[in-house]
Amino acid sequence: MIRTEEMLLNVGPQHPSTHGVFRIVLKIDGEIIKEATPVIGYLHRGTEKIAENLQYTQIIPYTDRMDYLAAMTNNYILCHAVETMMAMEIPERAEYLRVIVMELGRVASHLVWFGTYLLDIGAMSPFLYAFREREAIINLLTEISGGRLTFNYMRVGGVKWDAPEGWIDKVREFVPYMREQLAGYHDLVTGNEIFMARIKGVGAYSKEKALTYSLSGANLRCTGVKWDLRKNESYSIYDRFDFDVPVFHEGDALARYNCRMAEIEEALKIVEQAVEQFPEEGAFMAKVPRIIKPPPGETYVRIESPRGEIGCYIASKGKKEPYRLKFRRPSFYNLQILPELLEGENISNLIAILGGIDIVLGEVDG
Amino acid sequence: MTDGKTPEEIAEEKRKAVEEAKQKAAELRKEREAKKAAEANTDGDLEKKKAVAAAKAKAAAIREKKELEQNGAEKETLEPSGEEDLDLAKKKAVAAAKAKAAALRKKKELESNSATELKKESEEPTGEEDLDLAKKKAVAAAKAKAAALKKKKESGEVVYDDKAKAAAAAKAKAAALKKKSEKETGDDEKSKAIAIAKAKAKAKAAAAAKAKGSKPVEPVIEEEKPSSNQPALDRYVQIIRENLGEDLLEDAYINRLSKHVPTLVARKETYLKIAQFLKYNELLAFDYLSETHGTDFETHMEIYNHLYSYQNNQSVALKVKLDRNEPVIDSLTSLWEGANWPEREGYDLLGITFLGHPNLTRIMMPDDWVGHPLRKDYEPYDVEV
């Protein structure tokens, strides 16, 4: 019998498969991980501290930089929190625009995940296809907001810009195109024998584990918990759309994959309906005071981002700056389960498990 | 070679050469003079000057005519400068050009219509006549416009970006003319209907915007009306009281600013006990920790937890106030693994000590960082300062 001895292996912080600056210190015995210690904070920018000296509108660009793959949802959570405090009524057209851009963002975010995850575990070509389609979405969002990734599109009370002429039609045309491409992805990847062998049964956990670790998003839904804030604690105008919450029960990386792929379809459904119902006239911005001063008190709201439950806590003293601003970042919570999942795993599964959680480091580090 | 030439011939050649030289010199002088003249002229563009002068003359003529028409014998109090006149002339030219274009378009339309609508043609004016009419109209309109402008100027009113205004007016006029011609050629009802629909849509949008926008944005605090979540809060409080005894909660209220979430404020000593109870009690079953973080309120520290029950589809906020100088509190990691990193964040950024935490170390800041940045009294520590 071969005798092995324990060894420390440092993965990251500069490592392509960690999708950012993320470091894991691994104690390995041969190829088996004995202990994994994540080290984060390399991208900590102190957003919450900075925000204490900024007016609410000035904070919006900072939210773009947290989850930079789905910045629209981040824009929304801050505006939503302030609007909740001020009991503001949002014009319908603005709500539709917000939903459309957020769901497009969700599709784009899942596409990035799909492409890079497959790349991580050794398939090159899906990445190219996924990024082609994602680029189409980015172009749409650029057209409406002016930004490619950091949109700074939403405002307290509505959105900054109205949809340019013909934009809605472009979105309408995009939906069937994306559906077609998605079918292509399934042909190419889903059910592929090598892919299945790589992720089936890997990184599995139970529903109870998921709940105690405060997991959310696809990481929770892959264990059979039918939970989506868009449906269960409906915000904005999500109650007007007919869509499903895809749920899988195995709790492994494959279930998470299936979950996200199904979510792309559901997001497209929402976009399709929103475009059909889109009001032709109307304001895209409510009448908002020049200086936004929420009443004294505190609020906590949460919405469904592509990565899970994103929340925003604001403690206000009735001033134009928040007294305390706190974001509940889904990636930060979701990543906590990693050491437990890695323990006893073969080192080759590290990337398949980490990638399956779908983290964005800008969000983990806040 | 010169040997073959007679002296006369040579003299003749010389003369010719001299003459040529003289001519050249004269030409040069002329050129120089012309250049000088051009230089003396600041514009350096004779043609432009001429045009300006012509425009001035034209404008003056128009003015005279108009004055005769409108003001009668009224005397001019202000002598308009040449530039203003030039502006007027320009405006007029633009308007005329636009009108001409409109008329041409109209003519074309008429021609194309005449091919298909032979019947109607006899009743309608011919293209030629129409063109004349349009021209006349445009000229009249331009005149009126110019007169109005002039009047305005004379009465001392400030006229902003006249040029743009005039251009816009001319455009509008041209459009109106075009529309009129369309009407005349038989599109009457259709265009009318479109116009009406457009006006309606506009009015509707304006009304909607007004209805939505005019509402003053005010924090709605209806203290009198009991919240829809009040029964839920009462139930929680009652269950806690029945099972754990009196006086465990410092406060219990509905947070109206936070979607009416029932909020419980625990005592420092009972915090963990209540959290445990909220999680494991079968009736309450708050099995999901959505969020936990701390806040420095200067008078005290506060921990805020948002719990959720998948069984009952209910939320509750659990808070606890801590002594700011000695922020120590039980950790929730024994109940929810998910509280691990957020509590480390609380320790790192606020300096709160969580008792029973498995690994209470800094998570965002480097291990050798001095101070806790989210505390309100935080002073950045820098050895070099």
Side-chain angles (χ1 to χ4, degrees), chain B residues 229-239 241 254 262:
Chain B
N229 276 340
Q230 191 66 43
L233 176 69
D234 295 342
R235 208 174 120 253
Y236 305 157
V237 174
Q238 198 198 340
I239 293 172
R241 190 179 294 141
I254 297 284

Side-chain angles (χ1 to χ4, degrees), chain A residues 4-301:
Chain A
T4 56
E5 61 180 48
E6 210 175 81
M7 181 177 120
L8 268 181
L9 180 68
N10 196 43
V11 182
Q14 316 292 345
H15 190 281
S17 70
T18 60
H19 301 279
V21 274
F22 174 54
R23 177 174 158 222
I24 328 171
V25 183
L26 297 174
K27 251 182 216 164
I28 47 173
D29 183 6
E31 286 201 326
I32 303 300
I33 300 169
K34 291 282 172 201
E35 197 188 326
T37 315
V39 182
I40 62 168
Y42 292 95
L43 205 56
H44 181 64
R45 291 148 294 183
T47 308
E48 289 158 10
K49 181 77 180 170
I50 296 168
E52 284 175 13
N53 295 308
L54 295 176
Q55 294 180 19
Y56 289 95
T57 314
Q58 293 174 320
I59 303 169
I60 297 169
Y62 284 87
T63 64
D64 284 327
R65 279 138 186 94
M66 285 198 314
D67 182 353
Y68 40 76
L69 293 184
M72 285 295 185
T73 12
N74 290 34
N75 276 191
Y76 182 73
I77 184 65
L78 179 72
C79 296
H80 184 50
V82 180
E83 285 157 8
T84 304
M85 285 190 106
M86 297 176 78
M88 221 179 254
E89 202 181 312
I90 311 305
E92 203 155 89
R93 195 179 164 90
E95 291 280 30
Y96 275 99
L97 283 171
R98 284 174 169 193
V99 166
I100 292 170
V101 294
M102 279 199 286
E103 292 310 311
L104 284 176
R106 191 181 309 272
V107 175
S109 168
H110 281 347
L111 285 177
V112 172
W113 173 80
F114 168 78
T116 54
Y117 188 51
L118 268 292
L119 191 63
D120 282 350
I121 58 180
M124 181 72 199
S125 44
F127 172 80
L128 301 173
Y129 293 119
F131 268 63
R132 183 185 61 193
E133 267 67 81
R134 183 223 184 200
E135 202 57 34
I137 297 177
I138 297 287
N139 285 341
L140 283 173
L141 296 180
T142 308
E143 204 176 316
I144 199 169
S145 72
R148 225 180 81 86
L149 291 175
T150 50
F151 307 111
N152 191 14
Y153 178 56
M154 295 192 200
R155 292 289 182 276
V156 175
V159 292
K160 178 68 181 158
W161 317 102
D162 200 356
E165 215 177 306
W167 189 80
I168 292 291
D169 293 325
K170 281 186 194 166
V171 176
R172 188 179 287 129
E173 283 160 22
F174 172 76
V175 174
Y177 166 77
M178 187 61 227
R179 287 220 174 96
E180 206 179 294
Q181 298 304 319
L182 195 61
Y185 299 164
H186 282 303
D187 284 347
L188 183 65
V189 177
T190 316
N192 178 302
E193 212 169 303
I194 304 167
F195 179 59
M196 288 294 148
R198 201 77 174 71
I199 67 167
K200 200 174 178 194
V202 169
Y205 48 81
S206 66
K207 175 185 160 187
E208 288 69 33
K209 264 269 154 345
L211 288 179
T212 186
Y213 270 103
S214 298
L215 301 189
S216 53
N219 292 303
L220 180 61
R221 288 191 283 271
C222 72
T223 62
V225 181
K226 198 171 173 125
W227 180 252
D228 191 314
L229 288 164
R230 288 176 294 172
K231 204 96 179 171
N232 298 72
E233 275 184 19
S234 188
Y235 53 92
S236 188
I237 48 166
Y238 276 107
D239 51 351
R240 296 187 197 178
F241 307 116
D242 174 38
F243 65 99
D244 287 331
V245 180
V247 168
F248 291 83
H249 295 272
E250 300 78 15
D252 59 356
L254 178 61
R256 291 191 274 283
Y257 167 82
N258 285 331
C259 217
R260 292 199 179 99
M261 294 310 268
E263 270 173 37
I264 297 180
E265 261 163 65
E266 298 306 318
L268 289 176
K269 257 194 218 172
I270 297 174
V271 172
E272 198 173 36
Q273 291 170 57
V275 166
E276 283 318 311
Q277 298 173 18
F278 190 70
E280 286 199 6
E281 302 273 344
F284 55 90
M285 187 78 190
K287 272 233 167 107
V288 181
R290 241 187 142 67
I291 290 176
I292 297 156
K293 285 182 181 172
E298 55 187 358
T299 193
Y300 175 72
V301 291

